[in-house]
Amino acid sequence: MKMLESNLISEIEDTYILDFGTFYFCTHYIVSEVNEGVTFSWKNAEKIMELGYAHYGKDVKISYISNRINSYAVVPQDWLKLFRGHETVQAVAVITYNKSALTNIMMEKLFFLSQTLRQFESLETAAAWITKNRPAIRSKTYDR
């Protein structure tokens, strides 16, 4: 289910449509919907981080929901760069919709601490996990 078709639409603060996907910035997390056939790399992650800094501020801990509605590739070594070089990402939730995506997430888990990356079957459950178990990205009184 796409973010705009979910009951989380009221959570969206800003939407960024880039050449490699659409990214929804919410109070507690960022939701990505990467385009079909993209190889999501460090270069793409840097663009999202820059947008995150501009949106939330520099001293934030971001939770990221990967809504895998399309088939695309992730460069696992680049995820290691993100987690080792930056303390910005606190949690990653991945929503999978088919068996091949589930297989990919099992391989990606080898690159993460188990509490940092979790797999879900719906946006709502992923968002509920992040909202309940992770602090908000920023306080609601923060002025952008």
Side-chain angles (χ1 to χ4, degrees), residues 17 62-63 65 90 94 106 131:
I17 300 171
I62 295 173
S63 293
I65 299 175
Q90 69 175 350
V94 179
M106 291 173 76
T131 301

Side-chain angles (χ1 to χ4, degrees), residues 42 44-54 62 82 86 88:
W42 174 245
N44 304 120
E46 282 183 314
K47 287 181 185 177
I48 302 307
M49 288 174 56
E50 288 171 14
L51 289 171
Y53 292 147
I62 295 173
L82 182 62
H86 300 83
T88 303

Side-chain angles (χ1 to χ4, degrees), residues 10 21 25 59-60 92 96 112 115 127:
S10 64
F25 286 61
D59 298 320
V60 298
V92 177
T96 56
F112 299 96
Q115 68 270 21

Side-chain angles (χ1 to χ4, degrees), residues 32-115:
S32 71
E33 293 179 351
V34 176
N35 294 339
E36 182 77 28
V38 165
T39 298
F40 195 81
S41 67
W42 174 245
K43 181 179 171 184
N44 304 120
E46 282 183 314
K47 287 181 185 177
I48 302 307
M49 288 174 56
E50 288 171 14
L51 289 171
Y53 292 147
H55 184 87
Y56 299 112
K58 289 238 182 219
D59 298 320
V60 298
K61 296 279 188 184
I62 295 173
S63 293
Y64 183 81
I65 299 175
S66 176
N67 189 23
R68 296 195 178 172
I69 57 173
N70 295 311
S71 179
Y72 64 93
V74 175
V75 181
Q77 299 88 336
D78 286 356
W79 280 108
L80 283 175
K81 285 183 195 176
L82 182 62
F83 278 92
R84 287 188 180 152
H86 300 83
E87 300 298 320
T88 303
V89 178
Q90 69 175 350
V92 177
V94 179
I95 296 97
T96 56
Y97 297 96
N98 59 52
K99 289 187 182 205
S100 66
L102 186 57
T103 303
N104 289 341
I105 190 66
M106 291 173 76
M107 185 185 336
E108 289 169 30
K109 276 188 167 190
L110 296 173
F111 290 89
F112 299 96
L113 298 173
S114 61
Q115 68 270 21

